[in-house]
Amino acid sequence: MTPRSNRRHGLSTLIVAASSLMAASQAEAQQQGEAPRPHQPGESAFLAVLPETVEWRAFPAFPPSVRLAVIVGTPGKEGPYTIRVKVPGGVKLAPHRHPEDRVYTVISGVFYIGLGDRFDESRLRAYPPGSVIVLPGGTSHFHWARSGEYVSQVSAIGPLGLDYVDPHDDPRRTGKE
């Protein structure tokens, strides 16, 4: 063998060895990655929620005509949860905030949300079905079912919290819509 062919042979051997080592490492990583992670509360078994099985209920922190449905998890406890909120046309939710980060998905209708400590119609933004809105915890915001009923889905890590900027707006205290 010439010095040049020795180098090629050595390089080929190195490439084959490196490829074999990479393949073995990937196989080991896949085997290790197959172990399931610990399940979150309420997520240890397959679950499918169909629209007709959703149970809508009044929620004391909302105006009386607004309905909430728990889809997954227990919102009042630590851990992930998913809820749906159905707001009839014309209803306004006064400025409030949640301590937890939230991800909203608009299911139906047009979801109007504005940011700030006071209800300001000019700050409302409209989001059609399919829109996803990320709301960091502690962000003051307000809603209005301006163009008719809407349904939004909220996913977060509990416990769920809701504090009105002006305590007089809290239906738990005043019982008004």
Side-chain angles (χ1 to χ4, degrees), residues 29-40 43-45:
Q30 285 177 343
Q31 286 176 349
Q32 290 174 356
E34 290 177 11
R37 296 177 183 167
H39 297 294
Q40 297 295 322
E43 296 181 5
S44 61

Side-chain angles (χ1 to χ4, degrees), residues 40-43 72-75 77-82 155-158:
Q40 297 295 322
E43 296 181 5
V72 176
T74 306
K77 295 184 178 178
E78 288 190 18
Y81 70 83
T82 300
S155 296
I157 306 295

Side-chain angles (χ1 to χ4, degrees), residues 8-24:
R8 277 194 205 144
H9 183 273
L11 184 57
S12 296
T13 303
L14 181 61
I15 290 172
V16 168
S19 296
S20 297
L21 184 58
M22 279 181 32

Side-chain angles (χ1 to χ4, degrees), residues 37-54:
R37 296 177 183 167
H39 297 294
Q40 297 295 322
E43 296 181 5
S44 61
F46 178 83
L47 171 71
V49 179
L50 301 175
E52 62 270 14
T53 64
V54 171

Side-chain angles (χ1 to χ4, degrees), residues 92-116:
K92 295 178 180 180
L93 278 73
H96 61 281
R97 61 183 70 91
H98 309 278
E100 71 274 19
D101 295 337
R102 299 178 132 216
V103 178
Y104 292 79
T105 303
V106 183
I107 302 296
S108 64
V110 178
F111 179 70
Y112 287 86
I113 185 171
L115 303 181

Side-chain angles (χ1 to χ4, degrees), residues 123-161:
R123 298 189 75 165
L124 288 166
R125 297 294 174 255
Y127 296 95
S131 298
V132 174
I133 299 99
V134 176
L135 184 72
T139 302
S140 296
H141 62 287
F142 46 92
H143 309 278
W144 185 11
R146 185 178 193 175
S147 62
E149 177 183 275
Y150 71 80
V151 176
S152 63
Q153 182 164 291
V154 180
S155 296
I157 306 295
L160 180 154

